[in-house]
Amino acid sequence: MDAMDRKILTELQLDGRLTVTELAARVKLSVSPCHRRLRDLERAGAIRGYRAVVDPAAVGLDFEALVFATLRWEDRDTVETFEAAVAAVPHVTQAQRLFGEPDYLLRVATADLATYQQLYDQQLAKLPGVQRLTSTLVMKNVVHDRPLPEQPTPAPAPAREGRGGAVSPTTKPRRPPYGE
C-alpha cells in the first residue's frame, strides 16, 4: 500500500458516495488508474464495504452505555458461546475482546435509561459465561466516525543508556545530584 492508496482510503472514509471520477479528481489521478486502485483495495480487503452512517438520535437511540464484561472462564467453548450470544443482541453496536480485565467491551444503544435497564436485566445479565458486568453511561461523544489516519503512527525510538540509566530519546538525561 502506497501513499496514493492511503489518499484514496482517506477520501472514501470522508465520503463513501464519491463517484470514481470525483475520487480521481480529489486524489489527483486519472480515472482508469484510480478505478484500478479502488478495485485492488476492495479485493485486498482494505475496503470491507460501504454503508450509511446513521445518527442514533434521529432513529430514537439517544442513550448509549459502555458495558464491561468479565467471564467466569476463558476456555474456547465459553468464549465462543458468549460471543455468539452477544452478536445476537441487536442493541449491541460494537463488541471487542480485550487483553486483561475486563474481558470484553460492549457498546450498547437504546432509547433511554429505562429501555437500557430492561435490556440489561433481560438479555445482558443472562449472557452465558458472565461473571460480572459493569456499565458506564456515555455523557457525550467527542470523537466518533473519524477516518483512520493516512499513515500509521511510527513506533517510538528505543530508549538508550545514559549516565543515569535508561533515557528516552525525548527526555533529557537525569543529572546526578551534587556530590556524586
Side-chain angles (χ1 to χ4, degrees):
M1 180 170 303
D2 64 11
M4 183 56 68
D5 289 336
R6 291 184 190 284
K7 285 182 184 178
I8 289 170
L9 292 174
T10 297
E11 291 300 329
L12 286 173
Q13 287 179 89
L14 294 171
D15 186 355
R17 295 181 65 166
L18 289 173
T19 66
V20 175
T21 303
E22 292 168 331
L23 178 61
R26 287 193 186 184
V27 298
K28 298 180 178 31
L29 197 63
S30 60
V31 174
S32 285
C34 183
H35 191 248
R36 186 182 71 250
R37 284 176 176 268
L38 183 58
R39 278 195 323 251
D40 290 345
L41 289 166
E42 290 170 344
R43 285 188 197 123
I47 298 173
R48 295 189 306 203
Y50 301 89
R51 64 173 191 245
V53 178
V54 178
D55 179 8
V59 294
L61 297 172
D62 302 79
F63 187 85
E64 188 173 26
L66 303 178
V67 180
F68 301 96
T70 301
L71 301 183
R72 283 190 191 95
W73 303 281
E74 293 186 35
D75 62 281
R76 183 173 31 183
D77 289 341
T78 302
V79 167
E80 288 175 358
T81 304
F82 173 81
E83 289 179 0
V86 165
V89 179
H91 289 276
V92 175
T93 60
Q94 289 183 349
Q96 297 161 325
R97 188 171 179 192
L98 309 174
F99 281 108
E101 290 282 330
D103 298 313
Y104 289 87
L105 168 61
L106 313 177
R107 185 174 292 273
V108 177
T110 65
D112 52 32
L113 179 59
T115 307
Y116 173 71
Q117 180 185 355
Q118 185 178 11
L119 176 75
Y120 185 97
D121 293 343
Q122 294 177 2
Q123 293 183 45
L124 299 178
K126 295 178 182 177
L127 288 168
V130 171
Q131 176 183 351
R132 181 177 57 253
L133 293 175
T134 306
S135 299
T136 299
L137 306 181
V138 175
M139 179 188 305
K140 173 182 171 184
N141 283 308
V142 179
V143 177
H144 56 91
D145 300 326
R146 173 185 283 169
L148 295 172
E150 274 191 44
Q151 294 294 325
T153 304
R160 56 186 166 80
E161 286 292 320
R163 267 181 59 186
V167 176
S168 162
T170 59
T171 60
K172 295 179 182 178
R174 178 180 65 86
R175 285 188 177 164
Y178 290 105
E180 266 189 34

